[in-house]
Amino acid sequence: LDGMPAANPDVDLTLHVTECPKFTDLSGLSSVRRFDSLYLRELGALASLHGLEGAESASGVTITANPALVSLDGMGPLVSVGMVEPNTQSNVEIEDNPLLTSLSAWSALREVGGSLSVKGNALLPQADAEAWAAGVVVGGNSYVGDNAP
């Protein structure tokens, strides 16, 4: 995100980054407090979510198919997703991140206005994923499955 102008912290930011094999970090987003949509998919070199520490709200979060992602570090302060104006996109999806081993870095999450899906994360223990999801009130469907035994 080098060269990107500083984001206005009082405006909701829509961020869709997909299919960028050399994308490594989100540090340029540290001043963003509100995301309309946060969509991170197929980012080959993204190992953590550092740079999102300022996020206070989001309407939807998708973290999918990021082969180097080992941690959700950076998501810590985000307490709710899709609670301001819940809609069909007010979901949290954490899917198919083969090196993700824990969700504990996002322990602050308490509410999701839409659906919650945690699946296909090959190194994430299923019991840990279920325990994490049990602490989240979900307005729609919840699916936690197909993670590590």
Side-chain angles (χ1 to χ4, degrees):
L1 299 175
D2 289 338
M4 183 176 116
N8 182 337
D10 297 319
V11 174
D12 290 2
L13 178 69
T14 297
L15 181 69
H16 284 230
V17 185
T18 185
E19 299 179 23
C20 295
K22 295 181 181 179
F23 191 91
T24 59
D25 72 81
L26 299 164
S27 60
L29 300 172
S30 60
S31 67
V32 178
R33 293 193 315 247
R34 299 185 326 233
F35 286 93
D36 180 50
S37 175
L38 178 61
Y39 185 89
L40 306 172
R41 184 171 192 272
E42 295 183 34
L43 306 178
L46 185 67
S48 81
L49 302 179
H50 285 293
L52 300 177
E53 288 87 351
E56 297 171 356
S57 68
S59 294
V61 175
T62 299
I63 303 167
T64 303
N66 298 292
L69 187 67
V70 296
S71 167
L72 297 184
D73 284 347
M75 295 299 287
L78 190 58
V79 175
S80 65
V81 172
M83 298 308 294
V84 175
E85 294 179 29
N87 60 55
T88 58
Q89 302 301 312
S90 300
N91 305 321
V92 170
E93 299 172 354
I94 303 170
E95 302 175 354
D96 302 317
N97 300 290
L99 298 182
L100 184 64
T101 59
S102 173
L103 302 171
S104 64
W106 196 5
S107 61
L109 183 66
R110 293 290 170 252
E111 296 179 291
V112 175
S115 297
L116 173 67
S117 176
V118 181
K119 67 179 185 176
N121 300 290
L123 295 182
L124 177 65
Q126 180 67 23
D128 291 357
E130 290 171 356
W132 178 83
V136 180
V137 175
V138 179
N141 296 324
S142 182
Y143 179 77
V144 179
D146 304 321
N147 297 298

Short mmCIF file of all heavy atoms in Angstrom, two decimals, residues 17-74:
data_model
loop_
_atom_site.label_atom_id
_atom_site.label_comp_id
_atom_site.label_asym_id
_atom_site.label_seq_id
_atom_site.Cartn_x
_atom_site.Cartn_y
_atom_site.Cartn_z
N VAL A 17 -8.99 -6.58 -1.94
CA VAL A 17 -7.70 -6.92 -2.51
C VAL A 17 -7.74 -8.41 -2.81
O VAL A 17 -7.98 -9.22 -1.91
CB VAL A 17 -6.53 -6.58 -1.56
CG1 VAL A 17 -5.20 -6.85 -2.24
CG2 VAL A 17 -6.60 -5.15 -1.07
N THR A 18 -7.51 -8.76 -4.06
CA THR A 18 -7.62 -10.16 -4.43
C THR A 18 -6.58 -10.53 -5.50
O THR A 18 -6.19 -9.69 -6.31
CB THR A 18 -9.05 -10.47 -4.93
OG1 THR A 18 -9.16 -11.87 -5.19
CG2 THR A 18 -9.41 -9.70 -6.16
N GLU A 19 -6.11 -11.75 -5.42
CA GLU A 19 -5.18 -12.32 -6.39
C GLU A 19 -3.93 -11.47 -6.59
O GLU A 19 -3.55 -11.14 -7.71
CB GLU A 19 -5.89 -12.57 -7.72
CG GLU A 19 -7.03 -13.55 -7.59
CD GLU A 19 -7.77 -13.80 -8.89
OE1 GLU A 19 -7.19 -13.58 -9.98
OE2 GLU A 19 -8.93 -14.21 -8.82
N CYS A 20 -3.30 -11.14 -5.49
CA CYS A 20 -2.04 -10.38 -5.52
C CYS A 20 -0.97 -11.23 -4.84
O CYS A 20 -0.82 -11.18 -3.61
CB CYS A 20 -2.20 -9.04 -4.80
SG CYS A 20 -3.34 -7.92 -5.59
N PRO A 21 -0.20 -12.01 -5.58
CA PRO A 21 0.74 -12.95 -4.98
C PRO A 21 1.87 -12.29 -4.20
O PRO A 21 2.46 -12.93 -3.33
CB PRO A 21 1.28 -13.75 -6.16
CG PRO A 21 0.95 -12.95 -7.37
CD PRO A 21 -0.23 -12.11 -7.03
N LYS A 22 2.18 -11.02 -4.47
CA LYS A 22 3.30 -10.37 -3.78
C LYS A 22 2.83 -9.39 -2.69
O LYS A 22 3.64 -8.71 -2.08
CB LYS A 22 4.18 -9.64 -4.78
CG LYS A 22 4.85 -10.61 -5.73
CD LYS A 22 5.75 -9.90 -6.70
CE LYS A 22 6.39 -10.91 -7.63
NZ LYS A 22 7.25 -10.28 -8.61
N PHE A 23 1.54 -9.33 -2.44
CA PHE A 23 0.99 -8.43 -1.42
C PHE A 23 1.42 -8.93 -0.05
O PHE A 23 1.13 -10.06 0.34
CB PHE A 23 -0.53 -8.42 -1.53
CG PHE A 23 -1.21 -7.34 -0.73
CD1 PHE A 23 -1.47 -6.12 -1.30
CD2 PHE A 23 -1.56 -7.56 0.59
CE1 PHE A 23 -2.09 -5.12 -0.57
CE2 PHE A 23 -2.19 -6.58 1.33
CZ PHE A 23 -2.45 -5.35 0.74
N THR A 24 2.13 -8.07 0.72
CA THR A 24 2.71 -8.54 1.98
C THR A 24 2.14 -7.93 3.25
O THR A 24 2.20 -8.56 4.30
CB THR A 24 4.23 -8.26 2.01
OG1 THR A 24 4.43 -6.85 1.85
CG2 THR A 24 4.95 -9.01 0.91
N ASP A 25 1.60 -6.70 3.20
CA ASP A 25 1.15 -6.13 4.46
C ASP A 25 0.08 -5.06 4.26
O ASP A 25 -0.12 -4.54 3.18
CB ASP A 25 2.31 -5.58 5.28
CG ASP A 25 2.89 -4.31 4.71
OD1 ASP A 25 2.31 -3.24 4.97
OD2 ASP A 25 3.93 -4.38 4.03
N LEU A 26 -0.57 -4.75 5.38
CA LEU A 26 -1.67 -3.78 5.41
C LEU A 26 -1.29 -2.55 6.22
O LEU A 26 -2.16 -1.79 6.64
CB LEU A 26 -2.90 -4.45 6.04
CG LEU A 26 -3.42 -5.67 5.28
CD1 LEU A 26 -4.37 -6.47 6.15
CD2 LEU A 26 -4.09 -5.24 4.00
N SER A 27 0.00 -2.33 6.43
CA SER A 27 0.45 -1.26 7.32
C SER A 27 -0.03 0.13 6.92
O SER A 27 -0.18 1.00 7.76
CB SER A 27 1.98 -1.27 7.45
OG SER A 27 2.57 -1.08 6.19
N GLY A 28 -0.33 0.35 5.67
CA GLY A 28 -0.83 1.66 5.25
C GLY A 28 -2.24 1.96 5.69
O GLY A 28 -2.75 3.06 5.45
N LEU A 29 -2.89 1.02 6.35
CA LEU A 29 -4.28 1.20 6.76
C LEU A 29 -4.43 1.47 8.26
O LEU A 29 -5.55 1.47 8.77
CB LEU A 29 -5.09 -0.05 6.40
CG LEU A 29 -5.12 -0.39 4.93
CD1 LEU A 29 -5.78 -1.74 4.72
CD2 LEU A 29 -5.85 0.70 4.15
N SER A 30 -3.35 1.73 8.94
CA SER A 30 -3.41 1.85 10.40
C SER A 30 -4.32 2.97 10.90
O SER A 30 -4.80 2.91 12.03
CB SER A 30 -2.00 2.02 10.98
OG SER A 30 -1.40 3.18 10.45
N SER A 31 -4.60 3.98 10.08
CA SER A 31 -5.47 5.07 10.53
C SER A 31 -6.95 4.83 10.22
O SER A 31 -7.80 5.59 10.67
CB SER A 31 -5.04 6.39 9.88
OG SER A 31 -5.27 6.35 8.48
N VAL A 32 -7.27 3.77 9.50
CA VAL A 32 -8.67 3.50 9.14
C VAL A 32 -9.41 2.92 10.34
O VAL A 32 -8.98 1.93 10.93
CB VAL A 32 -8.76 2.53 7.94
CG1 VAL A 32 -10.21 2.22 7.61
CG2 VAL A 32 -8.05 3.11 6.73
N ARG A 33 -10.53 3.56 10.68
CA ARG A 33 -11.33 3.10 11.81
C ARG A 33 -12.55 2.31 11.36
O ARG A 33 -13.05 1.48 12.09
CB ARG A 33 -11.76 4.29 12.67
CG ARG A 33 -10.61 4.96 13.38
CD ARG A 33 -11.07 5.91 14.46
NE ARG A 33 -12.15 6.77 14.04
CZ ARG A 33 -12.06 8.09 13.89
NH1 ARG A 33 -10.94 8.71 14.14
NH2 ARG A 33 -13.11 8.80 13.50
N ARG A 34 -13.07 2.63 10.17
CA ARG A 34 -14.32 2.00 9.73
C ARG A 34 -14.17 1.44 8.31
O ARG A 34 -13.76 2.16 7.40
CB ARG A 34 -15.46 3.02 9.76
CG ARG A 34 -15.71 3.56 11.14
CD ARG A 34 -16.92 4.48 11.20
NE ARG A 34 -17.16 5.29 10.03
CZ ARG A 34 -17.32 6.61 10.05
NH1 ARG A 34 -17.25 7.26 11.19
NH2 ARG A 34 -17.57 7.26 8.95
N PHE A 35 -14.54 0.18 8.18
CA PHE A 35 -14.54 -0.47 6.87
C PHE A 35 -15.97 -0.78 6.48
O PHE A 35 -16.73 -1.35 7.26
CB PHE A 35 -13.75 -1.79 6.91
CG PHE A 35 -12.28 -1.60 6.98
CD1 PHE A 35 -11.63 -1.56 8.20
CD2 PHE A 35 -11.54 -1.46 5.82
CE1 PHE A 35 -10.26 -1.37 8.26
CE2 PHE A 35 -10.16 -1.27 5.87
CZ PHE A 35 -9.53 -1.24 7.09
N ASP A 36 -16.34 -0.38 5.27
CA ASP A 36 -17.62 -0.82 4.75
C ASP A 36 -17.49 -2.29 4.41
O ASP A 36 -18.32 -3.11 4.76
CB ASP A 36 -18.02 0.01 3.52
CG ASP A 36 -19.34 -0.44 2.96
OD1 ASP A 36 -20.29 -0.56 3.76
OD2 ASP A 36 -19.43 -0.68 1.75
N SER A 37 -16.40 -2.64 3.75
CA SER A 37 -16.14 -4.03 3.40
C SER A 37 -14.63 -4.24 3.45
O SER A 37 -13.87 -3.42 2.97
CB SER A 37 -16.66 -4.32 1.99
OG SER A 37 -16.31 -5.63 1.60
N LEU A 38 -14.24 -5.34 4.04
CA LEU A 38 -12.83 -5.73 4.09
C LEU A 38 -12.74 -7.12 3.47
O LEU A 38 -13.23 -8.10 4.04
CB LEU A 38 -12.33 -5.75 5.53
CG LEU A 38 -10.89 -6.18 5.75
CD1 LEU A 38 -9.93 -5.24 5.02
CD2 LEU A 38 -10.58 -6.21 7.24
N TYR A 39 -12.18 -7.19 2.25
CA TYR A 39 -12.16 -8.42 1.48
C TYR A 39 -10.71 -8.72 1.10
O TYR A 39 -10.12 -8.00 0.28
CB TYR A 39 -13.03 -8.24 0.23
CG TYR A 39 -13.21 -9.47 -0.61
CD1 TYR A 39 -14.24 -10.36 -0.35
CD2 TYR A 39 -12.37 -9.72 -1.68
CE1 TYR A 39 -14.43 -11.49 -1.15
CE2 TYR A 39 -12.55 -10.85 -2.48
CZ TYR A 39 -13.58 -11.72 -2.20
OH TYR A 39 -13.76 -12.83 -2.98
N LEU A 40 -10.14 -9.76 1.69
CA LEU A 40 -8.75 -10.13 1.44
C LEU A 40 -8.72 -11.57 0.95
O LEU A 40 -8.97 -12.50 1.72
CB LEU A 40 -7.94 -9.99 2.73
CG LEU A 40 -8.01 -8.62 3.42
CD1 LEU A 40 -7.34 -8.66 4.79
CD2 LEU A 40 -7.40 -7.55 2.54
N ARG A 41 -8.42 -11.75 -0.34
CA ARG A 41 -8.49 -13.09 -0.94
C ARG A 41 -7.30 -13.34 -1.86
O ARG A 41 -6.94 -12.50 -2.67
CB ARG A 41 -9.78 -13.21 -1.75
CG ARG A 41 -9.99 -14.58 -2.32
CD ARG A 41 -11.40 -14.69 -2.93
NE ARG A 41 -11.72 -16.06 -3.23
CZ ARG A 41 -11.42 -16.64 -4.38
NH1 ARG A 41 -10.80 -15.97 -5.32
NH2 ARG A 41 -11.72 -17.90 -4.57
N GLU A 42 -6.71 -14.50 -1.69
CA GLU A 42 -5.60 -14.96 -2.53
C GLU A 42 -4.44 -13.97 -2.55
O GLU A 42 -3.96 -13.56 -3.60
CB GLU A 42 -6.09 -15.27 -3.94
CG GLU A 42 -7.05 -16.43 -3.99
CD GLU A 42 -7.49 -16.78 -5.40
OE1 GLU A 42 -6.69 -16.65 -6.34
OE2 GLU A 42 -8.66 -17.20 -5.54
N LEU A 43 -4.00 -13.60 -1.34
CA LEU A 43 -2.86 -12.70 -1.19
C LEU A 43 -1.67 -13.58 -0.78
O LEU A 43 -1.51 -13.90 0.40
CB LEU A 43 -3.16 -11.61 -0.17
CG LEU A 43 -4.44 -10.81 -0.47
CD1 LEU A 43 -4.70 -9.77 0.61
CD2 LEU A 43 -4.36 -10.18 -1.84
N GLY A 44 -0.87 -13.96 -1.74
CA GLY A 44 0.15 -14.97 -1.58
C GLY A 44 1.18 -14.75 -0.51
O GLY A 44 1.71 -15.71 0.04
N ALA A 45 1.51 -13.52 -0.18
CA ALA A 45 2.58 -13.26 0.79
C ALA A 45 2.09 -12.62 2.08
O ALA A 45 2.89 -12.27 2.94
CB ALA A 45 3.64 -12.37 0.14
N LEU A 46 0.80 -12.47 2.26
CA LEU A 46 0.26 -11.84 3.47
C LEU A 46 0.28 -12.83 4.63
O LEU A 46 -0.44 -13.82 4.63
CB LEU A 46 -1.18 -11.36 3.22
CG LEU A 46 -1.84 -10.58 4.35
CD1 LEU A 46 -1.13 -9.22 4.53
CD2 LEU A 46 -3.32 -10.38 4.06
N ALA A 47 1.12 -12.56 5.65
CA ALA A 47 1.28 -13.48 6.77
C ALA A 47 0.47 -13.07 8.00
O ALA A 47 0.18 -13.90 8.86
CB ALA A 47 2.76 -13.60 7.15
N SER A 48 0.13 -11.79 8.12
CA SER A 48 -0.66 -11.32 9.26
C SER A 48 -1.52 -10.14 8.82
O SER A 48 -1.39 -9.66 7.69
CB SER A 48 0.23 -10.92 10.44
OG SER A 48 0.75 -9.62 10.24
N LEU A 49 -2.36 -9.68 9.71
CA LEU A 49 -3.24 -8.56 9.40
C LEU A 49 -2.80 -7.29 10.12
O LEU A 49 -3.62 -6.39 10.34
CB LEU A 49 -4.69 -8.94 9.76
CG LEU A 49 -5.20 -10.19 9.04
CD1 LEU A 49 -6.62 -10.51 9.46
CD2 LEU A 49 -5.10 -10.05 7.53
N HIS A 50 -1.52 -7.22 10.46
CA HIS A 50 -0.99 -6.00 11.08
C HIS A 50 -1.27 -4.83 10.16
O HIS A 50 -1.09 -4.92 8.95
CB HIS A 50 0.52 -6.11 11.34
CG HIS A 50 0.84 -6.98 12.50
ND1 HIS A 50 0.51 -6.65 13.79
CD2 HIS A 50 1.44 -8.17 12.56
CE1 HIS A 50 0.90 -7.61 14.60
NE2 HIS A 50 1.47 -8.56 13.87
N GLY A 51 -1.74 -3.75 10.74
CA GLY A 51 -2.12 -2.58 9.99
C GLY A 51 -3.61 -2.30 10.16
O GLY A 51 -4.08 -1.21 9.86
N LEU A 52 -4.34 -3.28 10.67
CA LEU A 52 -5.77 -3.09 10.89
C LEU A 52 -6.10 -2.80 12.36
O LEU A 52 -7.26 -2.80 12.75
CB LEU A 52 -6.53 -4.35 10.45
CG LEU A 52 -6.39 -4.72 8.97
CD1 LEU A 52 -7.13 -6.01 8.69
CD2 LEU A 52 -6.89 -3.59 8.09
N GLU A 53 -5.08 -2.52 13.15
CA GLU A 53 -5.26 -2.32 14.58
C GLU A 53 -6.19 -1.17 14.94
O GLU A 53 -6.76 -1.13 16.02
CB GLU A 53 -3.91 -2.11 15.28
CG GLU A 53 -3.06 -3.36 15.38
CD GLU A 53 -2.19 -3.60 14.15
OE1 GLU A 53 -2.34 -2.90 13.13
OE2 GLU A 53 -1.34 -4.50 14.22
N GLY A 54 -6.39 -0.22 14.02
CA GLY A 54 -7.27 0.92 14.29
C GLY A 54 -8.72 0.65 13.96
O GLY A 54 -9.60 1.46 14.27
N ALA A 55 -9.02 -0.49 13.35
CA ALA A 55 -10.39 -0.79 12.93
C ALA A 55 -11.33 -0.92 14.12
O ALA A 55 -11.07 -1.68 15.04
CB ALA A 55 -10.42 -2.07 12.10
N GLU A 56 -12.41 -0.15 14.07
CA GLU A 56 -13.42 -0.19 15.13
C GLU A 56 -14.72 -0.82 14.65
O GLU A 56 -15.49 -1.35 15.45
CB GLU A 56 -13.72 1.23 15.62
CG GLU A 56 -12.53 1.90 16.26
CD GLU A 56 -12.75 3.37 16.54
OE1 GLU A 56 -13.81 3.91 16.17
OE2 GLU A 56 -11.86 3.98 17.14
N SER A 57 -14.99 -0.75 13.34
CA SER A 57 -16.22 -1.35 12.82
C SER A 57 -16.01 -1.76 11.37
O SER A 57 -15.16 -1.22 10.67
CB SER A 57 -17.39 -0.38 12.92
OG SER A 57 -17.21 0.71 12.05
N ALA A 58 -16.81 -2.74 10.96
CA ALA A 58 -16.80 -3.22 9.58
C ALA A 58 -18.19 -3.76 9.26
O ALA A 58 -18.85 -4.33 10.13
CB ALA A 58 -15.76 -4.31 9.39
N SER A 59 -18.61 -3.58 8.04
CA SER A 59 -19.90 -4.12 7.62
C SER A 59 -19.78 -5.57 7.18
O SER A 59 -20.74 -6.32 7.25
CB SER A 59 -20.48 -3.29 6.48
OG SER A 59 -20.80 -2.00 6.95
N GLY A 60 -18.60 -5.98 6.73
CA GLY A 60 -18.37 -7.36 6.32
C GLY A 60 -16.88 -7.63 6.26
O GLY A 60 -16.09 -6.74 5.93
N VAL A 61 -16.46 -8.86 6.60
CA VAL A 61 -15.05 -9.24 6.59
C VAL A 61 -14.91 -10.60 5.91
O VAL A 61 -15.54 -11.57 6.33
CB VAL A 61 -14.46 -9.30 8.01
CG1 VAL A 61 -13.03 -9.83 7.97
CG2 VAL A 61 -14.53 -7.95 8.70
N THR A 62 -14.09 -10.66 4.86
CA THR A 62 -13.78 -11.90 4.18
C THR A 62 -12.26 -12.06 4.15
O THR A 62 -11.55 -11.19 3.63
CB THR A 62 -14.33 -11.90 2.73
OG1 THR A 62 -15.75 -11.76 2.78
CG2 THR A 62 -13.96 -13.17 2.00
N ILE A 63 -11.79 -13.17 4.71
CA ILE A 63 -10.36 -13.49 4.73
C ILE A 63 -10.27 -14.92 4.19
O ILE A 63 -10.49 -15.89 4.91
CB ILE A 63 -9.79 -13.39 6.16
CG1 ILE A 63 -10.03 -11.99 6.73
CG2 ILE A 63 -8.31 -13.75 6.17
CD1 ILE A 63 -9.77 -11.86 8.22
N THR A 64 -9.96 -15.04 2.90
CA THR A 64 -10.10 -16.33 2.22
C THR A 64 -8.91 -16.63 1.31
O THR A 64 -8.46 -15.77 0.56
CB THR A 64 -11.40 -16.32 1.37
OG1 THR A 64 -12.49 -16.05 2.23
CG2 THR A 64 -11.62 -17.64 0.69
N ALA A 65 -8.45 -17.86 1.39
CA ALA A 65 -7.45 -18.41 0.46
C ALA A 65 -6.16 -17.60 0.43
O ALA A 65 -5.62 -17.30 -0.63
CB ALA A 65 -8.04 -18.54 -0.94
N ASN A 66 -5.66 -17.29 1.61
CA ASN A 66 -4.38 -16.57 1.74
C ASN A 66 -3.33 -17.57 2.20
O ASN A 66 -3.27 -17.92 3.39
CB ASN A 66 -4.55 -15.41 2.73
CG ASN A 66 -5.57 -14.41 2.24
OD1 ASN A 66 -5.35 -13.73 1.25
ND2 ASN A 66 -6.71 -14.34 2.91
N PRO A 67 -2.50 -18.08 1.29
CA PRO A 67 -1.64 -19.21 1.59
C PRO A 67 -0.54 -18.97 2.62
O PRO A 67 -0.02 -19.93 3.19
CB PRO A 67 -1.03 -19.56 0.23
CG PRO A 67 -1.16 -18.34 -0.59
CD PRO A 67 -2.39 -17.64 -0.09
N ALA A 68 -0.19 -17.72 2.91
CA ALA A 68 0.87 -17.44 3.89
C ALA A 68 0.33 -16.94 5.22
O ALA A 68 1.09 -16.76 6.16
CB ALA A 68 1.85 -16.41 3.31
N LEU A 69 -0.97 -16.73 5.33
CA LEU A 69 -1.55 -16.15 6.54
C LEU A 69 -1.48 -17.14 7.70
O LEU A 69 -2.06 -18.22 7.64
CB LEU A 69 -3.01 -15.74 6.30
CG LEU A 69 -3.68 -14.98 7.43
CD1 LEU A 69 -3.05 -13.60 7.60
CD2 LEU A 69 -5.17 -14.85 7.17
N VAL A 70 -0.75 -16.76 8.75
CA VAL A 70 -0.60 -17.63 9.92
C VAL A 70 -1.34 -17.11 11.13
O VAL A 70 -1.55 -17.84 12.10
CB VAL A 70 0.89 -17.85 10.28
CG1 VAL A 70 1.62 -18.58 9.17
CG2 VAL A 70 1.59 -16.55 10.61
N SER A 71 -1.75 -15.84 11.08
CA SER A 71 -2.34 -15.22 12.26
C SER A 71 -3.34 -14.13 11.87
O SER A 71 -3.21 -13.51 10.82
CB SER A 71 -1.22 -14.60 13.10
OG SER A 71 -1.73 -13.74 14.08
N LEU A 72 -4.29 -13.89 12.74
CA LEU A 72 -5.22 -12.78 12.56
C LEU A 72 -4.76 -11.56 13.35
O LEU A 72 -5.55 -10.67 13.62
CB LEU A 72 -6.64 -13.19 12.99
CG LEU A 72 -7.29 -14.31 12.19
CD1 LEU A 72 -8.72 -14.53 12.65
CD2 LEU A 72 -7.26 -14.03 10.70
N ASP A 73 -3.49 -11.53 13.73
CA ASP A 73 -2.94 -10.37 14.43
C ASP A 73 -3.28 -9.11 13.65
O ASP A 73 -3.06 -9.03 12.45
CB ASP A 73 -1.41 -10.47 14.56
CG ASP A 73 -0.98 -11.45 15.61
OD1 ASP A 73 -1.83 -11.88 16.40
OD2 ASP A 73 0.22 -11.80 15.64
N GLY A 74 -3.84 -8.15 14.35
CA GLY A 74 -4.27 -6.90 13.73
C GLY A 74 -5.77 -6.72 13.83
O GLY A 74 -6.27 -5.61 13.82
#
